[in-house]
Amino acid sequence: GTGQSDDSDIWDDTALIKAYDKAVASFKKS
Amino acid sequence: LGFSPSLKWQQQQVGNFSDIRQSVNKHRQLWQTKTLDDNVIMPKIDDEEGWKRFCLGENVCLNTAQTDSGEPGVDYIKMGFPPFLSIVSKLNQATVSAVLEYLINWFEEREFVPQLGRWLYALLACLEKPLLPEAHSLIRQLARRCSTVRANLESKDDERLSALNLLICLVARYFEQNDLADK
């Protein structure tokens, strides 16, 4: 309905760790 | 040359980091209310050794050999607790600054490890702007140390390079310490 639940699913307890890993991986690809 | 990131990559990281910080703020209250597992015992704010062991793990802090159980991340006491949102959301600004200081002090005398990168990123994501003067000095110290370690890397394929570049980028470009930025 509101999109809130989708957002919560993505933003889980490991969100900061995933964001860091993604940022680090992006340099290797660049 | 060849070790530092492009301007485009740096700008992307600053944009992404800004989004992440907004999301942390948005979800902070929700995560603050989550009950931590019984094994997660956060040290008191002034317990420097306790926080280093909590974040980096006994293997790194006590210099003990790493045992590979085949299931990475299971033994948080040995490997360190990752910066879960349910943990970092419970840290007030004084604790964020204190833990940042403990970890940066640790890094001054030791090699970079993956757990350190994750925690520094998470703490920077929780560090409120405008920065206090002590925080300015602290994160500048971090960027300088990252630059020093980077300058001693022998290969562009070194696993640590991207993490060091990311931390330098965030300090210099997001927290506006422009004199430290990679051009």
Side-chain angles (χ1 to χ4, degrees):
Chain A
T2 61
Q4 182 66 39
S5 58
D6 289 346
D7 188 41
S8 299
D9 289 342
I10 296 163
W11 197 254
D12 67 20
D13 205 7
T14 62
L16 276 174
I17 302 158
K18 285 180 189 158
Y20 172 79
D21 289 345
K22 191 176 164 192
V24 165
S26 75
F27 178 75
K28 290 174 187 164
K29 286 184 205 152
S30 69
Chain B
L1 187 66
F3 284 71
S4 58
S6 66
L7 184 59
K8 186 182 170 197
W9 182 84
Q10 294 179 65
Q11 288 166 339
Q12 281 172 345
Q13 300 320 309
V14 170
N16 293 344
F17 188 66
S18 179
D19 293 342
I20 292 291
R21 284 171 58 95
Q22 282 180 27
S23 293
V24 169
N25 269 331
K26 185 177 154 194
H27 294 86
R28 181 182 295 277
Q29 283 189 327
L30 170 72
W31 285 103
Q32 274 174 344
T33 60
K34 302 271 182 190
T35 308
L36 297 174
D37 289 345
D38 291 343
N39 65 332
V40 186
I41 300 165
M42 286 200 273
K44 293 205 167 74
I45 186 170
D46 55 356
D47 182 3
E48 181 163 354
E49 293 307 313
W51 273 110
K52 288 181 207 165
R53 272 203 304 276
F54 183 87
C55 299
L56 306 175
E58 285 185 352
N59 281 350
V60 164
C61 287
L62 306 178
N63 239 350
T64 50
Q66 297 197 9
T67 49
D68 186 2
S69 64
E71 295 177 71
V74 169
D75 191 346
Y76 292 140
I77 304 293
K78 282 199 166 63
M79 303 303 290
F81 286 90
F84 292 129
L85 270 178
S86 53
I87 294 177
V88 298
S89 295
K90 289 185 172 60
L91 307 181
N92 60 26
Q93 277 302 292
T95 308
V96 168
S97 296
V99 179
L100 206 48
E101 183 180 349
Y102 301 153
L103 295 183
I104 291 170
N105 284 343
W106 184 90
F107 184 37
E108 277 294 317
E109 295 172 2
R110 291 172 191 83
E111 288 301 311
F112 185 87
V113 292
Q115 300 97 305
L116 180 69
R118 289 193 198 104
W119 266 100
L120 290 172
Y121 179 88
L123 292 168
L124 290 176
C126 297
L127 191 63
E128 286 173 7
K129 279 171 127 179
L131 297 180
L132 296 171
E134 307 89 87
H136 263 126
S137 161
L138 204 56
I139 64 170
R140 289 180 65 82
Q141 184 187 339
L142 170 62
R144 286 202 198 94
R145 174 65 180 151
C146 288
S147 294
T148 304
V149 173
R150 182 176 68 178
N152 289 316
L153 295 182
E154 291 182 353
S155 165
K156 292 171 196 165
D157 297 325
D158 193 303
E159 284 291 313
R160 295 168 290 178
L161 179 59
S162 45
L164 296 168
N165 278 340
L166 178 63
L167 292 168
I168 295 168
C169 167
L170 297 180
V171 169
R173 303 244 177 223
Y174 184 82
F175 290 101
E176 295 158 327
Q177 306 299 306
N178 294 314
D179 57 311
L180 300 175
D182 287 314
K183 302 292 183 256

